[in-house]
Amino acid sequence: MTAIDVRNLTKHYKVPIKQPGLLASVKSLFSQEYEEKHAVEQMSFQIEAGEIVGLLGSNGAGKTTMMKMLSGILHPTSGTCSVLGYTPWERKQEFQKSIAMIMGQKNSLWWDLPAADSFLLNKEIYDIPDKDYHETLNHMVEILDVKRLLTTPVRNLSLGERMKMEIIAGFLHQPKVVFLDEPTIGLDLTSQYAIRDFIRTMNSQRKVTIILTSHYMADIQELCKRVIIVNKGTKLYDGQLSHVAEDFSDVKLISIDLERDVEDAVLASIGEVVGRDVLKVTLQVPRNEIPQAIAKLGSLPVVDVNISEIPIDRVIERTLAEGKVRVNQ
Amino acid sequence: MMGVSTIRRIFTTELQQQAVRKVDVIIGFFFLWVPILLHIFLWQAVYDINGNAGSQLGYTLPQMITYFVLTLMCQRLVGVQIHRLLNHQIIQGDLNRFMVQPLSHLGFHYTRNAAEKFSQFTYLLVPAAVLLLVFRENIVTPTVVNAALFALALLLSIALNFLIYYALGLLGFWFGRANQIMMFATALISLIDGSRFPLSLLPTVIQEVSWYLPFQYIFYFPIRIFIGAETPETIRNGLLIETVWIVIFYVLVRIFWSRGLKRFGAFGG
């Protein structure tokens, strides 16, 4: 069964443009110029019920705009979209009761009260029967291991704990489709793992259809078989993640700051140089060669070292550059 | 429309949220004795210097003092910040939640406001009684009927005031960050809502016009009832006009909201 059917969805914004400076500010009072921004352009795809799909793209690629249209916040400029048979932006109650949108950077809980109070309000808003409410809540609280935090005021929770509560609040009414916008942003690893596990469980046990955006490649790799890559509002790729990212799971980036210049050849002997800005160098190194690479760095005039996962932006850039991506409409 | 159980839940949750700030609210209120004393000294001096000031200003000395004491108290009970909150939500895109959930923004915030005012009322009842008792020599003791009518008018003014400022906040849909516009509007309203001084000190023309505007019903009208400056007939008419304005603003707010949301949906948050 198709849960989400998007056809030729397009969203153009008018954004006011303003030159820098005071004079320009005064001018803009009298004649405001607008620039048309093409946030999403002729996007089409179908998502089956029970799928988890990753929406990938760099900042400003149109991910959030897409999510906002799918959840009914924005009207498209043209095109059609059906989510569970509803047109999202008509915002019918039955539609709203069967979806959830969880944004990593927004707070929807009552700040001074324990999260349990916010859950009780959601119970009323969504008309959740007592039995379902307790069952679902207990189940989720167990998976995320937050039972002891239910009575702590939200303001006293850590970011990770708060996000877990946000996610419980979002899943409480057993939505059939859930939009997760950066659910793990800024969280520590333990919380990231816990939330990832939770999403996987909800998907497999309750067949929840999920669209996920994330800055962490690990989230996407752990959860999504299928990804849709967007760039500048258009769809670049739609298909198996394994086709685009097979060789990214086992490499890491080592960023180093050098005290003085070092020859390229020396750096290349440690790992593949993927970025160089005079004294700032980024190396790509296979995961199992990290210890040796670190050892070799010891002989260089290194001021600072940072090891990180490959950011999604780079994955996309590289896949684009390598021509792996085919545009399939 | 929100169900009764949803309204009840929002109301009780807000009561709990308010309880967290209870001590702060009560202590803040007690400090009203400072401005109250100030008004007592000020108006005693004014009335002493000019023996027949009472007849010129249209109020006896206790009436005048009571007027200002009550504006201080009523501002705590009626005043809202919903315009700022709403404007902020529009700019920051925090409205999203209300577009994704089957929850009315107006209903949610109106209920929260009602709960906030209710809890403030219960917290402030004792301190207000204490203050009124301490200064009983200087202020008017209302008749039971006037006190009851004052309470009724104040209830209506809580609703009216909320809707007026809610409408003001909705301007954010068209103007974006509207801090200056809102500050200007608030200052203008405060001139003719009776919160700064009795409107009877203004030229007659303004007073007559103001009778048909919504603003004087926020503070001026209820307080005049309390100090016994309105007749049964003007009270009846006033309550009627106030109710009509509540209906008008409710309709206005609904229209602004749906138009604004269309714009929001087209432009993005």
Side-chain angles (χ1 to χ4, degrees), chain A residues 11 13-14 68 73-75 91 96 99 106 108 110 112-113 117 120-121 124-126 155, chain B residues 5-6 9-10 13-14 16-17 92 94 96-97 99-103 261 265-268:
Chain A
K11 178 74 189 176
Y13 291 114
K14 267 187 185 167
K68 283 181 174 174
I73 295 168
L74 295 180
H75 291 250
R91 290 198 286 273
Q96 291 175 325
I99 64 147
K106 300 273 180 210
S108 68
W110 294 64
D112 291 321
L113 301 178
D117 285 301
L120 279 172
L121 178 59
E124 300 300 342
I125 292 174
Y126 290 103
R155 67 182 137 83
Chain B
S5 58
T6 308
R9 177 63 64 188
I10 298 170
T13 312
E14 180 63 32
Q16 295 174 59
Q17 172 111 348
Q92 296 292 320
D94 292 343
N96 296 348
R97 176 185 170 196
M99 301 168 83
V100 177
Q101 289 191 335
L103 176 65
L261 224 49
F267 278 81

mmCIF file of all heavy atoms in Angstrom, chain A residues 11 13-14 68 73-75 91 96 99 106 108 110 112-113 117 120-121 124-126 155, chain B residues 5-6 9-10 13-14 16-17 92 94 96-97 99-103 261 265-268:
data_model
loop_
_atom_site.group_PDB
_atom_site.id
_atom_site.type_symbol
_atom_site.label_atom_id
_atom_site.label_comp_id
_atom_site.label_asym_id
_atom_site.label_seq_id
_atom_site.Cartn_x
_atom_site.Cartn_y
_atom_site.Cartn_z
ATOM 1 N N LYS A 11 7.710 24.094 -4.795
ATOM 2 C CA LYS A 11 7.495 25.188 -3.850
ATOM 3 C C LYS A 11 8.444 26.333 -4.146
ATOM 4 O O LYS A 11 9.657 26.182 -4.080
ATOM 5 C CB LYS A 11 7.719 24.687 -2.419
ATOM 6 C CG LYS A 11 7.562 25.749 -1.362
ATOM 7 C CD LYS A 11 6.126 26.111 -1.147
ATOM 8 C CE LYS A 11 5.977 27.333 -0.255
ATOM 9 N NZ LYS A 11 4.580 27.744 -0.123
ATOM 10 N N TYR A 13 9.346 30.291 -3.042
ATOM 11 C CA TYR A 13 9.098 31.340 -2.048
ATOM 12 C C TYR A 13 9.475 32.665 -2.650
ATOM 13 O O TYR A 13 10.344 32.738 -3.489
ATOM 14 C CB TYR A 13 10.061 31.227 -0.867
ATOM 15 C CG TYR A 13 9.910 30.082 0.036
ATOM 16 C CD1 TYR A 13 10.904 29.117 0.117
ATOM 17 C CD2 TYR A 13 8.807 29.994 0.844
ATOM 18 C CE1 TYR A 13 10.793 28.071 1.002
ATOM 19 C CE2 TYR A 13 8.699 28.940 1.721
ATOM 20 C CZ TYR A 13 9.694 27.983 1.795
ATOM 21 O OH TYR A 13 9.591 26.963 2.668
ATOM 22 N N LYS A 14 8.850 33.709 -2.102
ATOM 23 C CA LYS A 14 9.374 35.040 -2.378
ATOM 24 C C LYS A 14 10.114 35.460 -1.131
ATOM 25 O O LYS A 14 9.540 35.532 -0.064
ATOM 26 C CB LYS A 14 8.218 36.001 -2.616
ATOM 27 C CG LYS A 14 7.819 36.161 -4.055
ATOM 28 C CD LYS A 14 6.804 37.263 -4.103
ATOM 29 C CE LYS A 14 6.229 37.459 -5.471
ATOM 30 N NZ LYS A 14 5.041 38.311 -5.382
ATOM 31 N N LYS A 68 7.692 19.970 5.468
ATOM 32 C CA LYS A 68 6.609 20.865 5.862
ATOM 33 C C LYS A 68 5.411 20.738 4.936
ATOM 34 O O LYS A 68 4.272 20.901 5.357
ATOM 35 C CB LYS A 68 7.102 22.314 5.904
ATOM 36 C CG LYS A 68 7.928 22.621 7.144
ATOM 37 C CD LYS A 68 8.358 24.064 7.149
ATOM 38 C CE LYS A 68 9.048 24.429 8.454
ATOM 39 N NZ LYS A 68 9.597 25.796 8.407
ATOM 40 N N ILE A 73 2.069 21.871 6.771
ATOM 41 C CA ILE A 73 2.383 23.221 7.243
ATOM 42 C C ILE A 73 2.418 24.205 6.069
ATOM 43 O O ILE A 73 1.929 25.321 6.173
ATOM 44 C CB ILE A 73 3.727 23.228 8.003
ATOM 45 C CG1 ILE A 73 3.595 22.398 9.273
ATOM 46 C CG2 ILE A 73 4.164 24.644 8.329
ATOM 47 C CD1 ILE A 73 4.906 22.079 9.953
ATOM 48 N N LEU A 74 2.969 23.779 4.957
ATOM 49 C CA LEU A 74 3.085 24.664 3.793
ATOM 50 C C LEU A 74 2.200 24.212 2.630
ATOM 51 O O LEU A 74 1.986 23.016 2.421
ATOM 52 C CB LEU A 74 4.539 24.702 3.316
ATOM 53 C CG LEU A 74 5.586 25.296 4.243
ATOM 54 C CD1 LEU A 74 6.955 25.244 3.581
ATOM 55 C CD2 LEU A 74 5.237 26.717 4.619
ATOM 56 N N HIS A 75 1.708 25.187 1.892
ATOM 57 C CA HIS A 75 1.030 24.918 0.619
ATOM 58 C C HIS A 75 2.086 24.836 -0.472
ATOM 59 O O HIS A 75 2.979 25.672 -0.506
ATOM 60 C CB HIS A 75 0.128 26.087 0.221
ATOM 61 C CG HIS A 75 -1.054 26.258 1.072
ATOM 62 N ND1 HIS A 75 -2.318 25.991 0.626
ATOM 63 C CD2 HIS A 75 -1.178 26.690 2.348
ATOM 64 C CE1 HIS A 75 -3.174 26.257 1.599
ATOM 65 N NE2 HIS A 75 -2.513 26.666 2.648
ATOM 66 N N ARG A 91 -5.337 20.008 6.139
ATOM 67 C CA ARG A 91 -5.252 19.857 7.593
ATOM 68 C C ARG A 91 -6.539 19.308 8.217
ATOM 69 O O ARG A 91 -7.069 19.863 9.191
ATOM 70 C CB ARG A 91 -4.873 21.180 8.248
ATOM 71 C CG ARG A 91 -3.442 21.570 7.949
ATOM 72 C CD ARG A 91 -2.929 22.593 8.909
ATOM 73 N NE ARG A 91 -3.464 23.919 8.679
ATOM 74 C CZ ARG A 91 -2.933 24.791 7.828
ATOM 75 N NH1 ARG A 91 -1.868 24.479 7.139
ATOM 76 N NH2 ARG A 91 -3.477 25.963 7.673
ATOM 77 N N GLN A 96 -4.446 14.809 10.763
ATOM 78 C CA GLN A 96 -3.548 15.239 11.836
ATOM 79 C C GLN A 96 -3.403 14.172 12.919
ATOM 80 O O GLN A 96 -2.358 14.044 13.536
ATOM 81 C CB GLN A 96 -4.068 16.535 12.459
ATOM 82 C CG GLN A 96 -3.964 17.713 11.508
ATOM 83 C CD GLN A 96 -4.575 18.976 12.072
ATOM 84 O OE1 GLN A 96 -5.571 18.936 12.782
ATOM 85 N NE2 GLN A 96 -3.991 20.128 11.756
ATOM 86 N N ILE A 99 -0.718 11.408 11.806
ATOM 87 C CA ILE A 99 0.689 11.725 11.537
ATOM 88 C C ILE A 99 1.343 12.365 12.766
ATOM 89 O O ILE A 99 0.666 12.738 13.722
ATOM 90 C CB ILE A 99 0.860 12.704 10.357
ATOM 91 C CG1 ILE A 99 0.226 14.060 10.695
ATOM 92 C CG2 ILE A 99 0.278 12.134 9.084
ATOM 93 C CD1 ILE A 99 0.944 15.223 10.078
ATOM 94 N N LYS A 106 13.027 21.861 18.238
ATOM 95 C CA LYS A 106 11.876 22.563 18.798
ATOM 96 C C LYS A 106 11.443 21.889 20.094
ATOM 97 O O LYS A 106 11.603 20.691 20.268
ATOM 98 C CB LYS A 106 10.703 22.526 17.803
ATOM 99 C CG LYS A 106 11.023 23.172 16.482
ATOM 100 C CD LYS A 106 10.757 24.656 16.503
ATOM 101 C CE LYS A 106 11.102 25.268 15.158
ATOM 102 N NZ LYS A 106 11.544 26.625 15.231
ATOM 103 N N SER A 108 8.182 21.149 22.456
ATOM 104 C CA SER A 108 6.726 21.233 22.508
ATOM 105 C C SER A 108 6.218 20.811 23.883
ATOM 106 O O SER A 108 5.026 20.671 24.085
ATOM 107 C CB SER A 108 6.119 20.353 21.418
ATOM 108 O OG SER A 108 6.362 18.994 21.718
ATOM 109 N N TRP A 110 5.771 21.114 28.162
ATOM 110 C CA TRP A 110 5.589 22.178 29.164
ATOM 111 C C TRP A 110 6.859 22.263 29.973
ATOM 112 O O TRP A 110 7.262 21.305 30.633
ATOM 113 C CB TRP A 110 4.386 21.890 30.059
ATOM 114 C CG TRP A 110 3.096 21.931 29.325
ATOM 115 C CD1 TRP A 110 2.730 21.087 28.312
ATOM 116 C CD2 TRP A 110 2.005 22.830 29.518
ATOM 117 N NE1 TRP A 110 1.481 21.424 27.870
ATOM 118 C CE2 TRP A 110 1.009 22.477 28.593
ATOM 119 C CE3 TRP A 110 1.775 23.898 30.389
ATOM 120 C CZ2 TRP A 110 -0.194 23.158 28.500
ATOM 121 C CZ3 TRP A 110 0.559 24.558 30.301
ATOM 122 C CH2 TRP A 110 -0.405 24.206 29.370
ATOM 123 N N ASP A 112 8.085 23.848 32.740
ATOM 124 C CA ASP A 112 8.255 23.759 34.193
ATOM 125 C C ASP A 112 7.670 22.491 34.795
ATOM 126 O O ASP A 112 7.755 22.272 35.999
ATOM 127 C CB ASP A 112 7.597 24.964 34.885
ATOM 128 C CG ASP A 112 8.356 26.240 34.578
ATOM 129 O OD1 ASP A 112 9.594 26.188 34.547
ATOM 130 O OD2 ASP A 112 7.712 27.276 34.350
ATOM 131 N N LEU A 113 7.031 21.677 33.958
ATOM 132 C CA LEU A 113 6.340 20.495 34.488
ATOM 133 C C LEU A 113 7.002 19.221 33.991
ATOM 134 O O LEU A 113 7.700 19.224 32.983
ATOM 135 C CB LEU A 113 4.873 20.513 34.042
ATOM 136 C CG LEU A 113 4.048 21.721 34.477
ATOM 137 C CD1 LEU A 113 2.638 21.611 33.922
ATOM 138 C CD2 LEU A 113 4.012 21.829 35.994
ATOM 139 N N ASP A 117 3.018 15.300 32.273
ATOM 140 C CA ASP A 117 1.892 16.220 32.112
ATOM 141 C C ASP A 117 1.633 16.554 30.643
ATOM 142 O O ASP A 117 0.486 16.665 30.213
ATOM 143 C CB ASP A 117 2.140 17.506 32.905
ATOM 144 C CG ASP A 117 1.935 17.300 34.394
ATOM 145 O OD1 ASP A 117 0.822 16.911 34.776
ATOM 146 O OD2 ASP A 117 2.896 17.492 35.159
ATOM 147 N N LEU A 120 -0.153 13.652 29.091
ATOM 148 C CA LEU A 120 -1.580 13.616 29.419
ATOM 149 C C LEU A 120 -2.373 14.575 28.536
ATOM 150 O O LEU A 120 -3.487 14.279 28.114
ATOM 151 C CB LEU A 120 -1.796 13.977 30.888
ATOM 152 C CG LEU A 120 -1.557 12.824 31.867
ATOM 153 C CD1 LEU A 120 -1.601 13.336 33.304
ATOM 154 C CD2 LEU A 120 -2.598 11.731 31.666
ATOM 155 N N LEU A 121 -1.767 15.736 28.247
ATOM 156 C CA LEU A 121 -2.451 16.684 27.359
ATOM 157 C C LEU A 121 -2.581 16.077 25.957
ATOM 158 O O LEU A 121 -3.648 16.161 25.335
ATOM 159 C CB LEU A 121 -1.701 18.011 27.308
ATOM 160 C CG LEU A 121 -2.303 19.045 26.364
ATOM 161 C CD1 LEU A 121 -3.741 19.363 26.746
ATOM 162 C CD2 LEU A 121 -1.483 20.324 26.353
ATOM 163 N N GLU A 124 -5.471 13.828 25.558
ATOM 164 C CA GLU A 124 -6.754 14.494 25.301
ATOM 165 C C GLU A 124 -6.831 15.029 23.880
ATOM 166 O O GLU A 124 -7.839 14.880 23.203
ATOM 167 C CB GLU A 124 -6.966 15.653 26.288
ATOM 168 C CG GLU A 124 -6.996 15.252 27.742
ATOM 169 C CD GLU A 124 -8.111 14.271 28.069
ATOM 170 O OE1 GLU A 124 -9.066 14.159 27.270
ATOM 171 O OE2 GLU A 124 -8.000 13.601 29.110
ATOM 172 N N ILE A 125 -5.744 15.662 23.427
ATOM 173 C CA ILE A 125 -5.747 16.272 22.096
ATOM 174 C C ILE A 125 -6.053 15.209 21.039
ATOM 175 O O ILE A 125 -6.811 15.440 20.103
ATOM 176 C CB ILE A 125 -4.382 16.924 21.786
ATOM 177 C CG1 ILE A 125 -4.160 18.132 22.686
ATOM 178 C CG2 ILE A 125 -4.303 17.343 20.323
ATOM 179 C CD1 ILE A 125 -2.773 18.741 22.552
ATOM 180 N N TYR A 126 -5.461 14.033 21.201
ATOM 181 C CA TYR A 126 -5.612 12.986 20.188
ATOM 182 C C TYR A 126 -6.690 11.966 20.551
ATOM 183 O O TYR A 126 -6.833 10.960 19.864
ATOM 184 C CB TYR A 126 -4.277 12.264 19.979
ATOM 185 C CG TYR A 126 -3.242 13.109 19.295
ATOM 186 C CD1 TYR A 126 -2.209 13.692 20.010
ATOM 187 C CD2 TYR A 126 -3.301 13.337 17.917
ATOM 188 C CE1 TYR A 126 -1.252 14.468 19.384
ATOM 189 C CE2 TYR A 126 -2.345 14.109 17.279
ATOM 190 C CZ TYR A 126 -1.323 14.669 18.022
ATOM 191 O OH TYR A 126 -0.376 15.440 17.388
ATOM 192 N N ARG A 155 12.521 21.210 32.320
ATOM 193 C CA ARG A 155 13.670 22.119 32.321
ATOM 194 C C ARG A 155 14.905 21.507 32.982
ATOM 195 O O ARG A 155 16.020 21.959 32.772
ATOM 196 C CB ARG A 155 13.315 23.451 32.980
ATOM 197 C CG ARG A 155 13.039 23.350 34.459
ATOM 198 C CD ARG A 155 12.648 24.702 35.040
ATOM 199 N NE ARG A 155 11.520 24.552 35.949
ATOM 200 C CZ ARG A 155 11.629 24.188 37.230
ATOM 201 N NH1 ARG A 155 12.795 23.937 37.746
ATOM 202 N NH2 ARG A 155 10.554 24.078 37.987
ATOM 203 N N SER B 5 -12.819 17.834 27.593
ATOM 204 C CA SER B 5 -11.746 17.198 28.354
ATOM 205 C C SER B 5 -10.391 17.806 27.990
ATOM 206 O O SER B 5 -9.513 17.928 28.841
ATOM 207 C CB SER B 5 -11.744 15.692 28.117
ATOM 208 O OG SER B 5 -11.603 15.420 26.746
ATOM 209 N N THR B 6 -10.230 18.205 26.728
ATOM 210 C CA THR B 6 -8.978 18.869 26.332
ATOM 211 C C THR B 6 -8.858 20.214 27.047
ATOM 212 O O THR B 6 -7.808 20.550 27.592
ATOM 213 C CB THR B 6 -8.941 19.108 24.808
ATOM 214 O OG1 THR B 6 -9.228 17.881 24.151
ATOM 215 C CG2 THR B 6 -7.582 19.615 24.368
ATOM 216 N N ARG B 9 -7.989 19.691 30.594
ATOM 217 C CA ARG B 9 -6.591 19.275 30.766
ATOM 218 C C ARG B 9 -5.638 20.456 30.600
ATOM 219 O O ARG B 9 -4.708 20.633 31.367
ATOM 220 C CB ARG B 9 -6.257 18.148 29.774
ATOM 221 C CG ARG B 9 -4.819 17.693 29.812
ATOM 222 C CD ARG B 9 -4.422 17.098 31.152
ATOM 223 N NE ARG B 9 -5.158 15.876 31.453
ATOM 224 C CZ ARG B 9 -5.109 15.245 32.633
ATOM 225 N NH1 ARG B 9 -4.371 15.733 33.606
ATOM 226 N NH2 ARG B 9 -5.814 14.157 32.831
ATOM 227 N N ILE B 10 -5.882 21.300 29.582
ATOM 228 C CA ILE B 10 -5.027 22.480 29.385
ATOM 229 C C ILE B 10 -5.111 23.374 30.610
ATOM 230 O O ILE B 10 -4.107 23.857 31.124
ATOM 231 C CB ILE B 10 -5.451 23.276 28.124
ATOM 232 C CG1 ILE B 10 -5.303 22.429 26.865
ATOM 233 C CG2 ILE B 10 -4.621 24.549 27.978
ATOM 234 C CD1 ILE B 10 -5.919 23.041 25.632
ATOM 235 N N THR B 13 -3.324 21.817 33.607
ATOM 236 C CA THR B 13 -1.874 21.796 33.398
ATOM 237 C C THR B 13 -1.298 23.195 33.598
ATOM 238 O O THR B 13 -0.258 23.369 34.217
ATOM 239 C CB THR B 13 -1.542 21.278 31.982
ATOM 240 O OG1 THR B 13 -2.281 20.095 31.731
ATOM 241 C CG2 THR B 13 -0.065 20.962 31.859
ATOM 242 N N GLU B 14 -2.016 24.201 33.074
ATOM 243 C CA GLU B 14 -1.539 25.577 33.248
ATOM 244 C C GLU B 14 -1.579 25.981 34.728
ATOM 245 O O GLU B 14 -0.691 26.689 35.203
ATOM 246 C CB GLU B 14 -2.380 26.542 32.397
ATOM 247 C CG GLU B 14 -1.978 28.009 32.498
ATOM 248 C CD GLU B 14 -0.563 28.286 31.990
ATOM 249 O OE1 GLU B 14 -0.108 27.599 31.059
ATOM 250 O OE2 GLU B 14 0.110 29.185 32.552
ATOM 251 N N GLN B 16 -0.955 24.078 37.188
ATOM 252 C CA GLN B 16 0.258 23.508 37.792
ATOM 253 C C GLN B 16 1.487 24.306 37.408
ATOM 254 O O GLN B 16 2.378 24.537 38.207
ATOM 255 C CB GLN B 16 0.452 22.062 37.322
ATOM 256 C CG GLN B 16 -0.625 21.122 37.797
ATOM 257 C CD GLN B 16 -0.434 19.753 37.172
ATOM 258 O OE1 GLN B 16 0.595 19.131 37.345
ATOM 259 N NE2 GLN B 16 -1.418 19.307 36.424
ATOM 260 N N GLN B 17 1.524 24.717 36.123
ATOM 261 C CA GLN B 17 2.657 25.514 35.655
ATOM 262 C C GLN B 17 2.717 26.826 36.440
ATOM 263 O O GLN B 17 3.778 27.285 36.828
ATOM 264 C CB GLN B 17 2.485 25.775 34.153
ATOM 265 C CG GLN B 17 3.486 26.741 33.578
ATOM 266 C CD GLN B 17 4.460 26.058 32.631
ATOM 267 O OE1 GLN B 17 4.534 24.840 32.559
ATOM 268 N NE2 GLN B 17 5.212 26.832 31.912
ATOM 269 N N GLN B 92 9.500 32.653 14.468
ATOM 270 C CA GLN B 92 10.371 31.511 14.715
ATOM 271 C C GLN B 92 9.857 30.209 14.112
ATOM 272 O O GLN B 92 10.529 29.189 14.172
ATOM 273 C CB GLN B 92 10.538 31.291 16.226
ATOM 274 C CG GLN B 92 11.218 32.427 16.938
ATOM 275 C CD GLN B 92 12.671 32.547 16.521
ATOM 276 O OE1 GLN B 92 13.365 31.554 16.358
ATOM 277 N NE2 GLN B 92 13.125 33.770 16.316
ATOM 278 N N ASP B 94 7.352 28.562 15.279
ATOM 279 C CA ASP B 94 6.842 27.693 16.335
ATOM 280 C C ASP B 94 5.347 27.421 16.201
ATOM 281 O O ASP B 94 4.750 26.734 17.015
ATOM 282 C CB ASP B 94 7.106 28.303 17.719
ATOM 283 C CG ASP B 94 8.589 28.311 18.034
ATOM 284 O OD1 ASP B 94 9.330 27.575 17.361
ATOM 285 O OD2 ASP B 94 9.004 29.036 18.940
ATOM 286 N N ASN B 96 4.232 25.763 13.820
ATOM 287 C CA ASN B 96 4.155 24.469 13.149
ATOM 288 C C ASN B 96 3.361 23.440 13.936
ATOM 289 O O ASN B 96 2.552 22.714 13.395
ATOM 290 C CB ASN B 96 5.566 23.918 12.919
ATOM 291 C CG ASN B 96 6.332 24.812 11.976
ATOM 292 O OD1 ASN B 96 5.743 25.691 11.348
ATOM 293 N ND2 ASN B 96 7.628 24.603 11.880
ATOM 294 N N ARG B 97 3.643 23.421 15.240
ATOM 295 C CA ARG B 97 3.005 22.443 16.105
ATOM 296 C C ARG B 97 1.475 22.508 15.996
ATOM 297 O O ARG B 97 0.803 21.479 15.981
ATOM 298 C CB ARG B 97 3.443 22.763 17.534
ATOM 299 C CG ARG B 97 2.788 21.906 18.534
ATOM 300 C CD ARG B 97 3.143 22.329 19.921
ATOM 301 N NE ARG B 97 2.289 21.602 20.828
ATOM 302 C CZ ARG B 97 2.107 21.931 22.093
ATOM 303 N NH1 ARG B 97 2.731 22.952 22.586
ATOM 304 N NH2 ARG B 97 1.317 21.227 22.845
ATOM 305 N N MET B 99 -0.210 23.460 13.506
ATOM 306 C CA MET B 99 -0.703 23.118 12.174
ATOM 307 C C MET B 99 -0.629 21.620 11.962
ATOM 308 O O MET B 99 -1.289 21.079 11.091
ATOM 309 C CB MET B 99 0.123 23.858 11.130
ATOM 310 C CG MET B 99 0.034 25.354 11.355
ATOM 311 S SD MET B 99 1.230 26.271 10.413
ATOM 312 C CE MET B 99 0.369 26.370 8.868
ATOM 313 N N VAL B 100 0.173 20.951 12.777
ATOM 314 C CA VAL B 100 0.334 19.509 12.618
ATOM 315 C C VAL B 100 -0.584 18.762 13.587
ATOM 316 O O VAL B 100 -1.037 17.672 13.305
ATOM 317 C CB VAL B 100 1.814 19.114 12.856
ATOM 318 C CG1 VAL B 100 1.989 17.622 12.769
ATOM 319 C CG2 VAL B 100 2.699 19.799 11.831
ATOM 320 N N GLN B 101 -0.873 19.390 14.743
ATOM 321 C CA GLN B 101 -1.734 18.736 15.727
ATOM 322 C C GLN B 101 -3.180 19.204 15.589
ATOM 323 O O GLN B 101 -3.418 20.343 15.195
ATOM 324 C CB GLN B 101 -1.275 19.106 17.145
ATOM 325 C CG GLN B 101 0.032 18.470 17.547
ATOM 326 C CD GLN B 101 0.314 18.648 19.026
ATOM 327 O OE1 GLN B 101 -0.180 19.575 19.660
ATOM 328 N NE2 GLN B 101 1.115 17.758 19.575
ATOM 329 N N PRO B 102 -4.124 18.323 15.944
ATOM 330 C CA PRO B 102 -5.528 18.769 15.938
ATOM 331 C C PRO B 102 -5.812 19.607 17.180
ATOM 332 O O PRO B 102 -6.555 19.206 18.061
ATOM 333 C CB PRO B 102 -6.317 17.450 15.953
ATOM 334 C CG PRO B 102 -5.390 16.454 16.561
ATOM 335 C CD PRO B 102 -3.997 16.898 16.274
ATOM 336 N N LEU B 103 -5.196 20.782 17.241
ATOM 337 C CA LEU B 103 -5.304 21.628 18.430
ATOM 338 C C LEU B 103 -5.431 23.076 17.982
ATOM 339 O O LEU B 103 -4.617 23.558 17.198
ATOM 340 C CB LEU B 103 -4.041 21.446 19.283
ATOM 341 C CG LEU B 103 -3.903 22.301 20.534
ATOM 342 C CD1 LEU B 103 -4.976 21.951 21.551
ATOM 343 C CD2 LEU B 103 -2.528 22.120 21.159
ATOM 344 N N LEU B 261 -2.720 32.345 8.151
ATOM 345 C CA LEU B 261 -2.204 30.987 7.989
ATOM 346 C C LEU B 261 -1.999 30.657 6.510
ATOM 347 O O LEU B 261 -1.036 29.986 6.146
ATOM 348 C CB LEU B 261 -3.187 29.995 8.611
ATOM 349 C CG LEU B 261 -2.588 28.883 9.455
ATOM 350 C CD1 LEU B 261 -1.596 29.424 10.449
ATOM 351 C CD2 LEU B 261 -3.680 28.111 10.156
ATOM 352 N N GLY B 265 1.433 29.664 5.017
ATOM 353 C CA GLY B 265 1.580 28.446 4.215
ATOM 354 C C GLY B 265 2.210 28.723 2.864
ATOM 355 O O GLY B 265 2.879 27.876 2.284
ATOM 356 N N ALA B 266 1.984 29.935 2.360
ATOM 357 C CA ALA B 266 2.530 30.273 1.054
ATOM 358 C C ALA B 266 3.978 30.744 1.160
ATOM 359 O O ALA B 266 4.813 30.442 0.323
ATOM 360 C CB ALA B 266 1.675 31.357 0.401
ATOM 361 N N PHE B 267 4.277 31.487 2.234
ATOM 362 C CA PHE B 267 5.610 32.063 2.363
ATOM 363 C C PHE B 267 6.568 31.189 3.165
ATOM 364 O O PHE B 267 7.761 31.299 3.019
ATOM 365 C CB PHE B 267 5.536 33.451 3.026
ATOM 366 C CG PHE B 267 5.186 34.523 2.075
ATOM 367 C CD1 PHE B 267 3.875 34.734 1.710
ATOM 368 C CD2 PHE B 267 6.173 35.318 1.528
ATOM 369 C CE1 PHE B 267 3.548 35.725 0.812
ATOM 370 C CE2 PHE B 267 5.847 36.316 0.638
ATOM 371 C CZ PHE B 267 4.530 36.512 0.266
ATOM 372 N N GLY B 268 5.998 30.395 4.033
ATOM 373 C CA GLY B 268 6.866 29.567 4.859
ATOM 374 C C GLY B 268 7.239 30.287 6.129
ATOM 375 O O GLY B 268 7.183 31.508 6.202
#
